[in-house]
Amino acid sequence: MFLKMENIVKDFGVVRALDHASLEVEEGEIHGLLGENGAGKSTLMNILAGILKPTEGAIYINGALQENMTTKKSTEVGIRFIHQELNSINDLLVFENLFIGEEIHDKWGFLNKKAMIEKSKEVFIRMGIDINPLELMENLDTSRKQLVEIGKALLFESQLIIMDEPTTALTNKEIDNLFSIMRTLKKEGVSIIYISHKMPELFTICDRYTVLRDGRFIDSGIFADIDEHRATELLVGRSMAEEFIVNDGIKGEVVYEVHGLCCEPFFREISFNLRVGEVLAITGLHGDGRGELAEALFGARHVSKGEIHLEGERIQLKSIKKVMEAGIGMVPRNRKERSIIKDFSIRDNLSIGHFVIKHKHLFINKEEETKRFEKNQRITRIKVGNCEDYITSLSGGNQQKVIISRWLEIDAKVYILDNPTQGIDVGAKFEIYKIINELVKRGKSVIVFSSEFPEIHKIADRCLIMYKGNINAEMTREELTEVKAMYYATGANMEGIDENRTYNTK
Amino acid sequence: MKTELTTQNKIFNEVKKFSSQHTYVFSFFALLLIAVLINKNFLSYSYLSTLILQSTIKGIIALGMTLVIISGQIDLSVGSLTALVSGLGVVVLNTTENMLVMLLFCMVFGLFLGTINGLLVTKGRIAPFIVTLATLSAFRSIIVQLGQGGPFNVSENVYQSFRLIAVGTIFKIPNLAIIFVIVTAIVYIVMEKTKFGRYIYAVGSNEKAASLAGINVVRIKTLCFSITGLLTGISAFLLASRLTSITAPNAGVSFELDAIAAVAIGGTSMNGGRGRIIGTFLGIIMLQMIEGILIAAKIPPFLTGLVKGVIIILAVLLQSRKEKS
């Protein structure tokens, strides 16, 4: 047993990210670590790499207890971490990136460039890729940057390599290459912890698995003993028996149509339509192009091809204002970055949407604004003392209600909600679901982009599941189960690893 | 009893809120006190009117600078822009002998030059600091070349009447002071009472969010420079009237420093998103007061630059500490 992590607990303030999670990795095995977003995979790995300190729990390497793990110590025992995000420094050369923080020095204490370049070449030969170590990092495309990142882990002797979603930016050929490197490493006795959302990859390359859910250890075993359905069930857990929000809005005519929308490399040939009073969920996992699609629908991202029609009329996607005037409203994801104007009061944050397309007078009127705020406050139940306080004084849920009110005020026909319940507590989430329900009752149509399956269950009439920039499946409320959704979102319906990235929906 | 307490609390909170947002008011009165202690005549009518009069030309520029800074940008070219517009304005005046034509020219030409700055920043995607540093150099160079190093003098025919704009008074109030107050009031109304003003704050506070709320960020950012150009054009007109002779290499030199200093002292956030026009109005007067105090305290005039520099740093330090808390 090379690695044993026992009863790891990690608290962030009042939030318990890991609740007595355990993980065991044998020498020379590729271990798949599975879990939904927020299950605690990254936290556990950060603890192993010494980046985070566990609140409780023990880590054993080769049977020896490791106390006070630091990044330095972790490197010393041979643990290398390939991060999910690209950490490359674009203004440096490739070899400089490879050796960053671990430069080779000559006897005078100067950088030994020759040795570093030589070693870089060796690593790339071993990986079967032709990257020039003297190339400027900026000139590499994303997949090659990712490969350099992986190369970092191979520079030095290591015992355990953690790969956190290493394939999101890679082409299929590069993935095959990576897998053969992984198999070689395995033969050399190196262990690998492999984190991925993609079922075909996990089943292809991994020997054993560990599943985490809500920060807890769920199951561990051999991949050969389970199939993709079973794996998905383990991921998702109990069938969700929580209460549904009854969506009894009458579904009318098709009001909104998207035809063949393309925006390489994020998504392609996206077509769907939406009826009056319908809630359509669009879901998927990291790297599915969902966020970019949401932006494109709102005119915030340029599309190379495709049309959008609202009530039969083509929407000009040139500017956001034009899209708003046509009758589309959007609550963007990542509230803090994309919605909140932090130097504005609560009331002024609400007013902005109104000003952009409804306000026609020369001067603005504070009393009108306050009245508008009070009207919306009743609808969306914003809990607030004084509407002239800064918006940052509110809780996340209340901030989001202010932002939703901003868009209710423009009285759009179709509302696009991109991750509307991100980072807010359960109670506030529920209230936002109610608002969505009220919207469709009033004859509005809603598109919700979400990665949370329980949420989709509660609100959606229909669900599109995206995988690598395509719509992989479409399901009605009756057909939709969490297991199925996960099955299509992970691309598990693909036989093995898909070569050309195009496939049927069934 | 309980309700009384809460009303007291409310008042206390209001005072606290006001004082945290309007620190410049306190600095203003503190400075006033120092000024009066040093110079007994400070509060005399003639002294005060001179103070405002001296603040006007830089003050109007500082108003524009406030817009630029609130929108999260900076304009270093205003001093050179003043010289260029002012010098050519004098030429226009001498040929047309019509002050109104000159004023119109100054405003339109200033607007044009400011818009060039703005478009280079927004469409050209170059940092405002770099663009306006370049135009600072370019504008000055053009006017020095046109004047061949020499001054632009207002011709005899219009000299008397033109001079009267800057030195004249209405009901014993200096024209310049009246103009400053009127322009300040207009800019104040634009910033506080129109949606355009609201957009400027929004863009400076969170550009991404402003854009996703449907605001045309490129237009707002460009217009901030255009308006600064327009206001600087007005200042250039007044400067020509006050000096009646524009020496190309010297006119308007370091106006950008005073304008930015006034904005900083006036409590506007250098990161954009927050700031008040009234703050800048008081800020430029404070700056002028400091100069007066230095003279009264017999501090060598060569050191004014040092004092101003220290004041800018202090003002921004206080501001950033406030933002953190």
Side-chain angles (χ1 to χ4, degrees):
Chain A
M1 186 71 50
F2 174 71
L3 168 75
K4 192 169 171 188
M5 296 180 84
E6 226 175 34
N7 290 323
I8 306 284
V9 175
K10 177 67 190 175
D11 293 330
F12 291 107
V14 292
V15 179
R16 180 155 282 194
L18 287 175
D19 189 2
H20 297 92
S22 300
L23 175 67
E24 291 180 3
V25 180
E26 302 277 355
E27 198 177 308
E29 78 162 349
I30 302 176
H31 194 102
L33 185 58
L34 284 74
E36 288 188 286
N37 297 333
K41 296 171 306 220
S42 294
T43 313
L44 190 66
M45 290 304 102
N46 280 323
I47 287 171
L48 178 56
I51 298 165
L52 293 174
K53 286 217 174 319
T55 314
E56 280 174 41
I59 303 172
Y60 300 89
I61 307 271
N62 283 326
L65 179 67
Q66 306 289 315
E67 274 174 289
N68 292 324
M69 199 68 151
T70 60
T71 42
K72 195 160 168 255
K73 254 182 153 175
S74 158
T75 315
E76 276 166 11
V77 297
I79 298 174
R80 313 285 308 188
F81 195 163
I82 301 169
H83 290 271
Q84 192 175 350
E85 307 87 34
L86 290 172
N87 294 321
S88 46
I89 301 164
N90 280 333
D91 294 326
L92 295 184
L93 303 178
V94 167
F95 85 89
E96 290 169 328
N97 263 287
L98 275 174
F99 281 91
I100 195 114
E102 287 163 308
E103 290 81 0
I104 302 175
H105 298 279
D106 61 18
K107 59 182 169 180
W108 307 106
F110 292 112
L111 293 177
N112 188 346
K113 288 193 182 177
K114 223 171 142 190
M116 288 193 273
I117 294 166
E118 274 311 306
K119 206 141 185 212
S120 308
K121 278 183 186 158
E122 279 169 31
V123 166
F124 290 144
I125 289 170
R126 197 165 147 211
M127 293 171 73
I129 48 175
D130 58 336
I131 297 178
N132 180 359
L134 292 169
E135 182 74 68
L136 192 64
M137 201 64 182
E138 199 177 0
N139 298 338
L140 300 186
D141 59 25
T142 321
S143 74
R144 303 193 132 226
K145 281 181 187 167
Q146 180 75 65
L147 289 168
V148 171
E149 201 73 22
I150 294 168
K152 272 189 201 172
L154 306 178
L155 274 183
F156 303 97
E157 286 290 305
S158 53
Q159 300 296 315
L160 173 75
I161 300 175
I162 305 163
M163 298 187 177
D164 193 354
E165 304 237 19
T167 59
T168 33
L170 298 189
T171 66
N172 295 313
K173 191 166 167 280
E174 286 163 337
I175 293 173
D176 284 345
N177 259 340
L178 175 67
F179 283 0
S180 66
I181 297 165
M182 287 168 71
R183 289 193 186 99
T184 320
L185 286 168
K186 187 171 121 179
K187 269 186 214 140
E188 291 167 7
V190 177
S191 312
I192 295 171
I193 297 176
Y194 190 82
I195 301 176
S196 176
H197 280 304
K198 297 181 185 133
M199 286 293 171
E201 291 179 8
L202 287 163
F203 276 87
T204 309
I205 191 71
C206 296
D207 307 310
R208 293 201 313 137
Y209 65 84
T210 294
V211 180
L212 296 181
R213 193 195 311 142
D214 301 330
R216 293 195 191 88
F217 171 83
I218 298 300
D219 191 22
S220 188
I222 302 169
F223 265 107
D225 291 348
I226 58 169
D227 60 10
E228 286 166 4
H229 271 288
R230 175 69 191 139
T232 312
E233 268 173 24
L234 285 170
L235 272 184
V236 173
R238 74 282 138 192
S239 51
M240 300 295 300
E242 288 178 53
E243 85 182 278
F244 278 73
I245 293 192
V246 184
N247 176 356
D248 49 5
I250 299 144
K251 311 291 171 280
E253 300 283 296
V254 167
V255 64
Y256 181 82
E257 297 157 86
V258 176
H259 299 293
L261 221 54
C262 290
C263 177
E264 291 291 353
F266 304 108
F267 58 83
R268 59 208 67 87
E269 294 297 337
I270 300 290
S271 302
F272 63 88
N273 54 39
L274 186 67
R275 303 196 306 172
V276 173
E278 187 180 32
V279 179
L280 175 70
I282 299 180
T283 188
L285 293 161
H286 183 73
D288 58 1
R290 194 166 21 115
E292 288 81 8
L293 175 63
E295 286 165 20
L297 294 181
F298 195 52
R301 180 177 283 277
H302 182 76
V303 291
S304 55
K305 225 175 86 195
E307 291 178 13
I308 301 176
H309 295 259
L310 181 67
E311 293 180 331
E313 277 192 45
R314 185 173 175 181
I315 298 175
Q316 295 296 319
L317 291 172
K318 270 193 213 116
S319 79
I320 292 173
K321 194 180 170 195
K322 283 248 156 45
V323 177
M324 284 165 69
E325 278 166 346
I328 314 279
M330 174 163 105
V331 176
R333 66 179 176 278
N334 199 343
R335 186 177 58 249
K336 205 172 153 193
E337 236 174 66
R338 292 167 172 254
S339 310
I340 296 297
I341 297 168
K342 66 177 192 312
D343 296 311
F344 275 23
S345 67
I346 297 159
R347 184 189 61 199
D348 293 356
N349 258 289
L350 195 153
S351 298
I352 278 293
H354 174 86
F355 285 151
V356 170
I357 64 162
K358 293 260 157 158
H359 191 87
K360 298 289 179 232
H361 304 287
L362 181 58
F363 295 117
I364 56 183
N365 183 331
K366 290 228 158 104
E367 277 151 39
E368 261 178 41
E369 279 188 77
T370 307
K371 268 191 204 141
R372 219 178 296 130
F373 172 78
E374 284 165 355
K375 185 186 82 192
N376 280 287
Q377 189 183 15
R378 278 194 297 277
I379 300 170
T380 54
R381 290 172 289 269
I382 306 166
K383 286 178 209 82
V384 48
N386 184 349
C387 69
E388 289 187 31
D389 287 340
Y390 284 124
I391 187 146
T392 44
S393 67
L394 294 180
S395 68
N398 276 308
Q399 286 185 8
Q400 190 69 325
K401 286 187 211 163
V402 174
I403 299 302
I404 290 176
S405 306
R406 177 193 286 174
W407 293 101
L408 294 187
E409 193 53 52
I410 74 164
D411 199 29
K413 298 188 182 84
V414 174
Y415 284 94
I416 301 165
L417 312 178
D418 191 359
N419 247 338
T421 61
Q422 188 179 26
I424 63 180
D425 62 73
V426 182
K429 274 184 185 178
F430 200 75
E431 288 188 56
I432 285 174
Y433 302 152
K434 277 198 216 156
I435 296 169
I436 293 172
N437 201 30
E438 275 161 31
L439 275 174
V440 289
K441 266 188 194 159
R442 276 164 45 201
K444 312 287 184 191
S445 309
V446 180
I447 304 171
V448 181
F449 287 82
S450 174
S451 56
E452 294 182 31
F453 293 109
E455 173 168 301
I456 295 164
H457 263 285
K458 286 198 185 74
I459 54 175
D461 299 307
R462 198 152 55 92
C463 180
L464 302 179
I465 297 157
M466 289 183 71
Y467 178 65
K468 287 187 177 173
N470 298 294
I471 295 174
N472 191 15
E474 177 181 338
M475 276 180 249
T476 63
R477 172 178 227 129
E478 289 70 34
E479 292 167 331
L480 182 70
T481 67
E482 221 168 332
V483 175
K484 266 197 210 166
M486 202 65 183
Y487 182 74
Y488 288 106
T490 49
N493 56 327
M494 257 45 70
E495 298 278 326
I497 296 158
D498 172 60
E499 273 298 329
N500 50 14
R501 288 188 169 190
T502 52
Y503 26 78
N504 303 321
T505 49
K506 286 279 156 141
Chain B
M1 186 68 202
K2 212 175 176 185
T3 47
E4 263 177 54
L5 251 174
T6 48
T7 40
Q8 261 182 17
N9 268 343
K10 234 181 184 170
I11 293 166
F12 177 72
N13 278 338
E14 283 302 308
V15 171
K16 219 172 109 182
K17 202 173 150 192
F18 179 84
S19 60
S20 76
Q21 285 177 4
H22 305 265
T23 28
Y24 55 83
V25 176
F26 296 94
S27 351
F28 181 75
F29 284 111
L31 258 179
L32 203 64
L33 192 70
I34 298 170
V36 173
L37 287 177
I38 289 180
N39 182 351
K40 294 277 180 307
N41 293 328
F42 189 85
L43 284 179
S44 72
Y45 175 77
S46 68
Y47 203 104
L48 279 182
S49 58
T50 319
L51 187 72
I52 297 183
L53 185 149
Q54 285 171 337
S55 310
T56 302
I57 290 170
K58 291 173 190 169
I60 292 176
I61 297 174
L63 294 173
M65 188 68 80
T66 315
L67 268 61
V68 172
I69 290 178
I70 288 175
S71 71
Q73 314 178 88
I74 193 100
D75 188 346
L76 303 177
S77 73
V78 288
S80 300
L81 202 150
T82 310
L84 178 55
V85 173
S86 193
L88 289 181
V90 170
V91 174
V92 169
L93 179 69
N94 289 344
T95 33
T96 62
E97 300 198 345
N98 186 330
M99 289 183 285
L100 210 63
V101 172
M102 178 190 175
L103 175 63
L104 214 67
F105 167 80
C106 288
M107 289 167 73
V108 172
F109 191 46
L111 184 80
F112 171 73
L113 295 176
T115 309
I116 288 180
N117 274 337
L119 289 176
L120 283 171
V121 169
T122 52
K123 299 278 182 190
R125 292 169 189 271
I126 312 171
F129 177 80
I130 301 299
V131 167
T132 56
L133 191 65
T135 49
L136 170 145
S137 158
F139 294 162
R140 176 73 62 190
S141 164
I142 294 170
I143 195 65
V144 172
Q145 165 66 23
L146 290 176
Q148 287 297 312
F152 293 82
N153 293 319
V154 174
S155 74
E156 298 287 327
N157 301 340
V158 279
Y159 183 84
Q160 277 308 326
S161 50
F162 183 55
R163 213 175 74 90
L164 221 58
I165 296 171
V167 298
T169 57
I170 298 173
F171 301 121
K172 289 191 180 169
I173 306 170
N175 287 351
L176 281 182
I178 296 172
I179 293 169
F180 190 24
V181 171
I182 291 174
V183 176
T184 304
I186 293 171
V187 179
Y188 173 85
I189 289 169
V190 168
M191 287 304 278
E192 297 293 319
K193 304 282 174 205
T194 72
K195 58 179 183 178
F196 173 67
R198 195 64 72 78
Y199 292 172
I200 293 176
Y201 283 105
V203 168
S205 178
N206 187 343
E207 200 175 314
K208 184 92 206 162
S211 161
L212 283 173
I215 296 172
N216 188 337
V217 172
V218 166
R219 191 165 79 199
I220 299 296
K221 287 172 88 171
T222 311
L223 278 174
C224 284
F225 281 104
S226 308
I227 291 171
T228 302
L230 172 79
L231 292 172
T232 309
I234 295 173
S235 280
F237 174 79
L238 297 175
L239 185 75
S241 164
R242 199 163 135 79
L243 303 178
T244 64
S245 168
I246 298 296
T247 48
N250 299 328
V253 164
S254 85
F255 274 18
E256 65 283 339
L257 174 75
D258 286 2
I260 294 168
V263 175
I265 298 170
T268 292
S269 163
M270 288 293 126
N271 300 322
R274 289 189 192 192
R276 293 278 172 265
I277 290 298
I278 302 299
T280 300
F281 179 80
L282 292 180
I284 197 78
I285 292 176
M286 278 191 260
L287 215 56
Q288 212 61 50
M289 273 160 74
I290 292 162
E291 272 182 30
I293 291 170
L294 292 181
I295 293 165
K298 300 206 170 58
I299 289 167
F302 296 124
L303 287 180
T304 19
L306 172 68
V307 175
K308 274 185 200 167
V310 170
I311 286 166
I312 296 178
I313 298 288
L314 282 178
V316 176
L317 264 182
L318 283 173
Q319 184 70 26
S320 61
R321 272 186 49 194
K322 212 169 72 194
E323 273 170 22
K324 262 182 210 154
S325 61

